[in-house]
Amino acid sequence: MAKTISYKKLWKLLIDKNMSKSELKTVSGVSTAKLGKSENITTGVLVKICEGLQCDFADIMELVDE
């Protein structure tokens, strides 16, 4: 079975932190457009998001069955 990356954890974390996508862009310096479409992004972008939110990769993404 094929796997894909889901960013649902990121969206839930933003809700828990009472943050908007534009606030995420401010703290991380990255656009969320590709994340919203579940497109491929670089690990550098993921690192910036994690640094901005003070979290780890596992807090913002997970591998799920397609």
Side-chain angles (χ1 to χ4, degrees):
M1 184 174 287
K3 300 280 186 176
T4 189
I5 293 175
S6 170
Y7 297 104
K8 287 181 181 179
K9 285 183 160 188
L10 171 60
W11 310 133
K12 183 176 180 330
L13 183 61
L14 290 180
I15 291 168
D16 292 346
K17 290 181 175 267
N18 199 28
M19 289 180 73
S20 67
K21 290 180 182 179
S22 57
E23 289 172 317
L24 173 61
K25 184 176 181 178
T26 300
V27 299
S28 67
V30 299
S31 171
T32 58
K34 286 187 174 183
L35 292 167
K37 297 176 186 175
S38 293
E39 293 180 10
N40 291 332
I41 57 171
T42 66
T43 52
V45 169
L46 294 173
V47 168
K48 287 179 183 180
I49 292 170
C50 288
E51 287 174 343
L53 295 176
Q54 299 177 342
C55 66
D56 196 80
F57 290 138
D59 298 323
I60 64 168
M61 58 190 267
E62 64 184 332
L63 195 59
V64 296
D65 294 329
E66 281 190 341

